[in-house]
Amino acid sequence: MTAFLRTMTFALVAALTALLLAAPASAAKIDDQFRAWLQNDLWPEATAKGISRQTFDAAFDGIKPNLKLPDLVMPGEKPKTPQKQHQAEFGSPGAYFAEKTVRAVTAGGRAREAANAKTLAAIEKRYGVPGEILLAIWGRETGFGAAKMPYNAFEVLGTKAFMSTKKDFFRTELLAALEIVQRGLAPVGAMKSSWAGALGQPQFMPTSFLKHAVDFDGDGRVDIWNSTPDVLASIANYLVHYGWVRGRGWGVEVTVPDSVSCSLEGPDQGKKISEWAGMGIKRVGGKPFPASELQAEGFLLMPAGRSGPAFIATPNFYVLKEYNTSDLYALFIGHGADRIAHGDQNFSGSWGPVGDLHRSDIAALQRALQAKGYDVGGSDGLPGFKTRRSIGKWQTKNGQAATCFPDAGLVGRLK
């Protein structure tokens, strides 16, 4: 075949592929579109990254798009505009800390702490992360490995890279999954994941697996599906990568006097713990802050504003948020770790009757605050710390008591 014919053939294949991908889902079978995308779009990039044809074909052998996965956009269609939600999205944040849920993690953690004492001690010595933190994450993520990983990672990641609302993100993860197999780190058959494509007992995305998974049991391979030492050490390595400070905890529960504004919350408003104490903030239970902590930085954390427990968090709290960006998740892990270590004692502060709002209503509130010049961190409908403290600042400016948490009346006034 001449160079001219090769060029024309390639151009024709590319044009047909583009036509298939641009056509509405009803115009051609999605399976055929997916296969065309694999061969003409994904494969050239995969081979350029060193993925062999054998690995590529084995990974996608028999794979079809899973149309039951969330956040998909049918080929040839545009993402649908989110409709107003009619169901309440948010109850009290306290629901996240239901005793049954917390106790499952803490009781399971204590049972496994004894069984894995030597491993945990060796991991803490190497990485500086307390065993209780690792156990709490392990328990929260997969019930200490009891949760089944029912999905084929290549089915999930392939579907989402082809037709999700976050194609670029999942394409990167899909190529990383292929690299895992190519490098012999795991066989295709072991690549079981969650519905989001997260792998193994620590629930690592493939890029995190490549960066952070370690062989701690010394058998020459990384196995985050079946090896407890590998699972726990990989979690520790992940946290260290994001800045875990050896020798410091995650934080402590405190009482915050009315004279201290809840709008002082956030990782960008840190103060020496001695300064927080000087403002009247005290540890619950009457214990003083440790002398070794007084000159260290701490951060005010009020996940439900004035309607819930308050905390002084350390930088390690925000390292936990690298595992999951939710304040409540990081607090669950810290609280669970404390209970594994010291017994099942709940928060001193109670969660007030907040919540029962639609996410779309909170997003409207965020847009209204943005229009007034407040930094709410984006109008995503989630009341993160930037939204909470912006609410507090607006309330104070308008002569209201600062609560730093959205409620129906506030939504009505600001919309």
Side-chain angles (χ1 to χ4, degrees):
M1 184 182 290
T2 67
F4 173 76
L5 287 176
R6 281 197 300 270
T7 301
M8 292 299 295
T9 300
F10 179 80
L12 180 61
V13 169
L16 288 172
T17 299
L19 183 62
L20 277 173
L21 292 176
S26 58
K29 291 183 178 180
I30 292 177
D31 290 357
D32 292 339
Q33 293 174 310
F34 179 66
R35 282 286 151 190
W37 172 79
L38 283 177
Q39 300 307 323
N40 300 303
D41 188 334
L42 187 67
W43 165 243
E45 184 174 2
T47 190
K49 290 181 176 294
I51 306 301
S52 70
R53 189 79 227 189
Q54 180 180 7
T55 294
F56 192 87
D57 289 346
F60 295 108
D61 183 28
I63 296 296
K64 297 180 180 181
N66 184 342
L67 303 184
K68 295 181 180 180
L69 295 173
D71 302 320
L72 301 183
V73 180
M74 295 299 111
E77 296 182 4
K78 295 181 179 180
K80 294 179 180 178
T81 302
Q83 297 181 346
K84 180 178 175 66
Q85 294 150 337
H86 299 289
Q87 302 241 340
E89 281 279 332
F90 296 102
S92 167
Y96 198 89
F97 299 90
E99 183 62 21
K100 181 179 179 181
T101 304
V102 179
R103 194 175 289 272
V105 170
T106 57
R110 280 195 294 273
R112 287 161 180 81
E113 188 173 36
N116 297 282
K118 290 184 178 179
T119 296
L120 290 167
I123 292 173
E124 183 166 359
K125 183 178 180 181
R126 179 179 299 183
Y127 296 101
V129 182
E132 293 83 10
I133 291 287
L134 306 178
L135 291 164
I137 292 175
W138 186 25
R140 179 69 186 181
E141 291 296 327
T142 56
F144 308 101
K148 302 302 180 184
M149 295 295 106
Y151 294 95
N152 180 310
F154 292 105
E155 175 190 84
V156 171
L157 296 171
T159 300
K160 287 180 171 286
F162 174 58
M163 58 190 299
S164 82
T165 57
K166 298 180 179 179
K167 288 182 181 181
D168 291 344
F169 171 82
F170 285 104
R171 185 186 185 97
T172 297
E173 296 298 340
L174 178 57
L175 290 165
L178 288 167
E179 184 179 346
I180 289 170
V181 175
Q182 181 66 40
R183 289 169 52 183
L185 300 174
V188 168
M191 295 290 283
K192 301 298 183 182
S193 76
S194 71
W195 62 267
L199 304 173
Q201 296 186 38
Q203 287 292 272
F204 279 177
M205 294 304 290
T207 53
S208 290
F209 180 102
L210 291 172
K211 293 176 184 175
H212 310 303
V214 296
D215 169 24
F216 202 78
D217 62 13
D219 68 353
R221 65 190 185 95
V222 176
D223 185 359
I224 62 171
W225 290 270
N226 303 293
S227 169
T228 295
D230 289 6
V231 167
L232 294 171
S234 295
I235 295 171
N237 191 41
Y238 182 101
L239 297 177
V240 168
H241 174 85
Y242 284 104
W244 185 272
V245 181
R246 182 187 292 263
R248 295 195 76 185
W250 68 271
V252 293
E253 188 179 358
V254 298
T255 58
V256 181
D258 292 340
S259 59
V260 177
S261 174
C262 51
S263 65
L264 292 175
E265 182 185 5
D268 54 350
Q269 298 193 102
K271 300 178 186 294
K272 291 181 179 179
I273 289 179
S274 60
E275 293 180 61
W276 291 118
M279 297 167 68
I281 292 178
K282 298 178 181 179
R283 288 185 67 180
V284 299
K287 290 183 178 180
F289 291 103
S292 60
E293 286 280 295
L294 291 177
Q295 298 306 306
E297 190 173 33
F299 311 92
L300 183 61
L301 171 69
M302 301 180 75
R306 285 286 179 182
S307 296
F311 308 87
I312 291 296
T314 75
N316 286 339
F317 176 84
Y318 295 98
V319 173
L320 293 175
K321 283 191 67 175
E322 294 290 346
Y323 215 96
N324 180 311
T325 58
S326 164
D327 285 334
L328 296 182
Y329 175 90
L331 183 58
F332 185 101
I333 298 304
H335 178 56
D338 287 349
R339 287 177 57 157
I340 291 171
H342 306 299
D344 285 317
Q345 184 173 351
N346 216 329
F347 297 125
S348 176
S350 60
W351 301 94
V354 295
D356 297 324
L357 292 172
H358 300 150
R359 185 165 171 176
S360 52
D361 288 331
I362 294 177
L365 180 150
Q366 290 169 322
R367 289 192 293 271
L369 286 170
Q370 281 181 317
K372 296 178 184 297
Y374 292 91
D375 177 11
V376 298
S379 54
D380 58 1
L382 300 172
F385 75 88
K386 288 186 176 181
T387 295
R388 297 195 296 265
R389 71 188 186 191
S390 292
I391 289 171
K393 291 176 181 178
W394 182 89
Q395 289 170 322
T396 299
K397 184 177 179 179
N398 287 273
Q400 301 176 18
T403 65
C404 296
F405 206 77
D407 60 55
L410 183 66
V411 169
R413 287 190 294 273
L414 276 167
K415 281 177 68 174

mmCIF file of all heavy atoms in Angstrom, residues 16-25 33 75-77:
data_model
loop_
_atom_site.group_PDB
_atom_site.id
_atom_site.type_symbol
_atom_site.label_atom_id
_atom_site.label_comp_id
_atom_site.label_asym_id
_atom_site.label_seq_id
_atom_site.Cartn_x
_atom_site.Cartn_y
_atom_site.Cartn_z
ATOM 1 N N LEU A 16 -15.078 7.888 9.955
ATOM 2 C CA LEU A 16 -16.170 6.992 10.330
ATOM 3 C C LEU A 16 -16.309 6.897 11.842
ATOM 4 O O LEU A 16 -17.421 6.865 12.383
ATOM 5 C CB LEU A 16 -15.930 5.600 9.724
ATOM 6 C CG LEU A 16 -16.123 5.486 8.205
ATOM 7 C CD1 LEU A 16 -15.677 4.122 7.715
ATOM 8 C CD2 LEU A 16 -17.588 5.749 7.820
ATOM 9 N N THR A 17 -15.169 6.852 12.537
ATOM 10 C CA THR A 17 -15.197 6.808 14.003
ATOM 11 C C THR A 17 -15.840 8.061 14.567
ATOM 12 O O THR A 17 -16.689 8.007 15.460
ATOM 13 C CB THR A 17 -13.771 6.669 14.565
ATOM 14 O OG1 THR A 17 -13.212 5.447 14.077
ATOM 15 C CG2 THR A 17 -13.790 6.639 16.093
ATOM 16 N N ALA A 18 -15.440 9.223 14.018
ATOM 17 C CA ALA A 18 -16.013 10.488 14.481
ATOM 18 C C ALA A 18 -17.512 10.516 14.231
ATOM 19 O O ALA A 18 -18.290 11.002 15.056
ATOM 20 C CB ALA A 18 -15.324 11.658 13.792
ATOM 21 N N LEU A 19 -17.944 9.978 13.082
ATOM 22 C CA LEU A 19 -19.362 9.961 12.754
ATOM 23 C C LEU A 19 -20.135 9.091 13.727
ATOM 24 O O LEU A 19 -21.218 9.445 14.203
ATOM 25 C CB LEU A 19 -19.549 9.457 11.322
ATOM 26 C CG LEU A 19 -20.998 9.443 10.779
ATOM 27 C CD1 LEU A 19 -21.545 10.860 10.741
ATOM 28 C CD2 LEU A 19 -21.029 8.804 9.391
ATOM 29 N N LEU A 20 -19.568 7.942 14.047
ATOM 30 C CA LEU A 20 -20.214 7.043 15.008
ATOM 31 C C LEU A 20 -20.362 7.703 16.364
ATOM 32 O O LEU A 20 -21.402 7.614 17.018
ATOM 33 C CB LEU A 20 -19.413 5.750 15.137
ATOM 34 C CG LEU A 20 -19.660 4.665 14.090
ATOM 35 C CD1 LEU A 20 -18.657 3.537 14.285
ATOM 36 C CD2 LEU A 20 -21.085 4.139 14.172
ATOM 37 N N LEU A 21 -19.292 8.365 16.817
ATOM 38 C CA LEU A 21 -19.303 8.976 18.140
ATOM 39 C C LEU A 21 -20.236 10.171 18.196
ATOM 40 O O LEU A 21 -20.786 10.494 19.249
ATOM 41 C CB LEU A 21 -17.886 9.386 18.547
ATOM 42 C CG LEU A 21 -16.915 8.229 18.795
ATOM 43 C CD1 LEU A 21 -15.533 8.772 19.100
ATOM 44 C CD2 LEU A 21 -17.390 7.336 19.923
ATOM 45 N N ALA A 22 -20.403 10.861 17.060
ATOM 46 C CA ALA A 22 -21.244 12.057 17.049
ATOM 47 C C ALA A 22 -22.718 11.714 16.916
ATOM 48 O O ALA A 22 -23.576 12.507 17.264
ATOM 49 C CB ALA A 22 -20.814 12.974 15.911
ATOM 50 N N ALA A 23 -23.031 10.525 16.406
ATOM 51 C CA ALA A 23 -24.416 10.165 16.174
ATOM 52 C C ALA A 23 -25.143 9.936 17.493
ATOM 53 O O ALA A 23 -24.544 9.537 18.484
ATOM 54 C CB ALA A 23 -24.466 8.887 15.325
ATOM 55 N N PRO A 24 -26.442 10.202 17.535
ATOM 56 C CA PRO A 24 -27.205 9.923 18.740
ATOM 57 C C PRO A 24 -27.135 8.442 19.097
ATOM 58 O O PRO A 24 -26.899 7.591 18.243
ATOM 59 C CB PRO A 24 -28.631 10.336 18.356
ATOM 60 C CG PRO A 24 -28.455 11.296 17.213
ATOM 61 C CD PRO A 24 -27.238 10.834 16.483
ATOM 62 N N ALA A 25 -27.361 8.145 20.386
ATOM 63 C CA ALA A 25 -27.229 6.765 20.866
ATOM 64 C C ALA A 25 -28.140 5.820 20.100
ATOM 65 O O ALA A 25 -27.832 4.644 19.936
ATOM 66 C CB ALA A 25 -27.517 6.714 22.361
ATOM 67 N N GLN A 33 -20.000 1.602 19.063
ATOM 68 C CA GLN A 33 -19.330 2.886 19.242
ATOM 69 C C GLN A 33 -18.185 2.752 20.247
ATOM 70 O O GLN A 33 -17.113 3.337 20.069
ATOM 71 C CB GLN A 33 -20.333 3.935 19.714
ATOM 72 C CG GLN A 33 -21.392 4.285 18.681
ATOM 73 C CD GLN A 33 -22.443 5.218 19.236
ATOM 74 O OE1 GLN A 33 -23.004 4.972 20.292
ATOM 75 N NE2 GLN A 33 -22.706 6.298 18.528
ATOM 76 N N PRO A 75 -23.714 8.678 23.872
ATOM 77 C CA PRO A 75 -22.992 9.234 22.714
ATOM 78 C C PRO A 75 -23.918 10.058 21.828
ATOM 79 O O PRO A 75 -25.040 9.660 21.523
ATOM 80 C CB PRO A 75 -22.497 7.976 21.990
ATOM 81 C CG PRO A 75 -22.404 6.942 23.055
ATOM 82 C CD PRO A 75 -23.530 7.227 23.992
ATOM 83 N N GLY A 76 -23.444 11.237 21.438
ATOM 84 C CA GLY A 76 -24.227 12.115 20.587
ATOM 85 C C GLY A 76 -25.192 13.009 21.334
ATOM 86 O O GLY A 76 -25.857 13.854 20.729
ATOM 87 N N GLU A 77 -25.294 12.834 22.651
ATOM 88 C CA GLU A 77 -26.188 13.658 23.452
ATOM 89 C C GLU A 77 -25.380 14.603 24.325
ATOM 90 O O GLU A 77 -24.190 14.396 24.566
ATOM 91 C CB GLU A 77 -27.082 12.776 24.334
ATOM 92 C CG GLU A 77 -28.024 11.880 23.543
ATOM 93 C CD GLU A 77 -28.930 11.058 24.443
ATOM 94 O OE1 GLU A 77 -28.857 11.247 25.681
ATOM 95 O OE2 GLU A 77 -29.685 10.221 23.916
#
